């Protein structure tokens, strides 16, 4: 089945630890996105990538890092520098950037204690 | 930078009534998309508008794109319990950046 997969669904980490969220797609999409969702704040863009080996900061990139070494994969690392990392993280991809619909993964709920 | 604002944040609707949610951008958009997120789920694409003044309908849902391509609206008629969820607009200016509004969370009273 084609789709976009995020893992794990739930993740718990201790404060001060870096954590990497996985996002894989087999839709042959060029563009991939990471969003953070908090209650009442909608989807805020963290990073986006138009093509392999290229990515751009979104609106709230501080404390996060990404890589795009393969077309299918766009992992997000939440670093210890992120002041409030507990949130619901959504990965998305689209065939032609924002020109076509974005497909979302199921999301990862990260809790930092 | 590009900002997409959406109002209202919450919409409590009596079953059978109509309502509208509005989306405004600080910059001119190349296109606007609408998504629906059911409680506990992820956003799912509903529709895309590209042309100035464009109007599209999906059953009881009517989507409009403003003449200046800086605003959009979603109107739902005869609200049903299946309409419960959060509706997001998302706009793209001239690059691949897809910016979402804060969403309108809809609850329905039976």
């Amino acid at each position: 089945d084609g789709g976009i997969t995020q893992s794990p669904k739930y993740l718990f980490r201790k404060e001060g630890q870096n954590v990497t969220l996985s996002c894989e797609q087999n839709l042959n999409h060029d563009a991939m996105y990471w969003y953070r969702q908090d209650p009442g704040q909608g989807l805020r863009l963290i990073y986006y990538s138009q093509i392999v080996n290229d990515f751009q900061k979104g609106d709230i990139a501080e404390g996060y890092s990404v890589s795009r070494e393969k077309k299918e994969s766009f992992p997000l690392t939440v670093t210890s520098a992120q002041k409030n990392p507990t949130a619901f993280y959504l990965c998305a991809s689209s065939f032609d950037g924002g020109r076509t619909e974005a497909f979302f993964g199921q999301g990862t709920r990260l809790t930092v204690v | 930078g590009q900002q997409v604002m959406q109002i209202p944040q919450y919409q409590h609707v009596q079953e059978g009534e109509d309502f509208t949610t509005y989306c405004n951008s600080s910059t001119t958009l190349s296109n606007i998309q609408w998504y629906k997120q059911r409680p506990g789920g992820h956003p799912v694409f509903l529709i895309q508008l590209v042309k100035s003044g464009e109007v599209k309908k999906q059953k009881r849902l009517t989507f409009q794109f403003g003449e200046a391509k800086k605003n959009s609206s979603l109107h739902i008629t005869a609200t049903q319990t299946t309409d419960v969820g959060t509706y997001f607009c998302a706009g793209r200016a001239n690059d691949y950046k897809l910016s979402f509004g804060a969403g309108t969370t809809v609850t329905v009273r039976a």
Side-chain angles (χ1 to χ4, degrees):
Chain A
D1 287 337
I4 181 165
T5 303
Q6 287 184 246
S7 61
K9 190 172 182 179
Y10 299 96
L11 191 55
F12 295 86
R13 278 294 184 270
K14 290 186 178 180
E15 192 173 343
Q17 291 181 335
N18 291 357
V19 59
T20 297
L21 281 57
S22 169
C23 179
E24 303 278 333
Q25 54 97 0
N26 59 6
L27 300 168
N28 198 33
H29 286 172
D30 287 313
M32 296 187 75
Y33 305 83
W34 273 106
Y35 293 91
R36 169 179 172 143
Q37 186 170 27
D38 297 283
Q41 298 198 50
L43 303 177
R44 292 186 290 167
L45 183 62
I46 305 172
Y47 269 97
Y48 62 107
S49 170
Q50 303 175 23
I51 199 168
V52 175
N53 292 322
D54 181 66
F55 48 83
Q56 308 294 327
K57 291 182 178 180
D59 300 314
I60 56 164
E62 185 174 352
Y64 299 97
S65 66
V66 294
S67 63
R68 187 83 188 275
E69 298 176 359
K70 298 186 299 182
K71 188 175 185 178
E72 305 79 25
S73 179
F74 191 41
L76 173 74
T77 296
V78 184
T79 75
S80 57
Q82 168 51 233
K83 300 300 182 187
N84 185 18
T86 295
F88 188 51
Y89 292 88
L90 285 159
C91 180
S93 70
S94 66
F95 179 68
D96 193 17
R99 296 180 182 85
T100 57
E101 67 180 282
F103 291 82
F104 282 83
Q106 299 292 322
T108 293
R109 189 166 297 279
L110 173 66
T111 302
V112 176
V113 296
Chain B
Q2 176 189 331
Q3 287 188 328
V4 177
M5 293 148 285
Q6 201 172 342
I7 57 170
Q9 185 175 353
Y10 298 100
Q11 185 79 54
H12 307 291
V13 188
Q14 180 71 42
E15 190 173 16
E17 291 184 341
D18 304 350
F19 75 90
T20 303
T21 175
Y22 300 89
C23 183
N24 292 286
S25 171
S26 57
T27 58
T28 302
L29 300 172
S30 297
N31 61 26
I32 195 152
Q33 299 171 351
W34 285 89
Y35 293 78
K36 178 181 179 180
Q37 183 178 25
R38 295 185 184 275
H42 59 279
V44 175
F45 176 82
L46 293 176
I47 208 160
Q48 175 170 278
L49 304 170
V50 179
K51 299 177 182 177
S52 170
E54 189 170 12
V55 178
K56 287 188 176 181
K57 291 189 176 183
Q58 286 182 350
K59 297 183 180 179
R60 297 179 293 103
L61 278 61
T62 301
F63 304 84
Q64 291 188 326
F65 200 9
E67 294 290 340
K69 300 184 75 173
K70 296 179 75 172
N71 58 75
S72 180
S73 65
L74 160 59
H75 181 77
I76 298 182
T77 59
T79 304
Q80 300 176 358
T81 55
T82 52
D83 295 323
V84 165
T86 301
Y87 294 84
F88 293 99
C89 61
R92 184 181 70 85
N94 297 315
D95 59 8
Y96 283 74
K97 184 180 180 182
L98 188 62
S99 297
F100 281 73
T104 295
T105 298
V106 176
T107 55
V108 179
R109 300 189 299 274

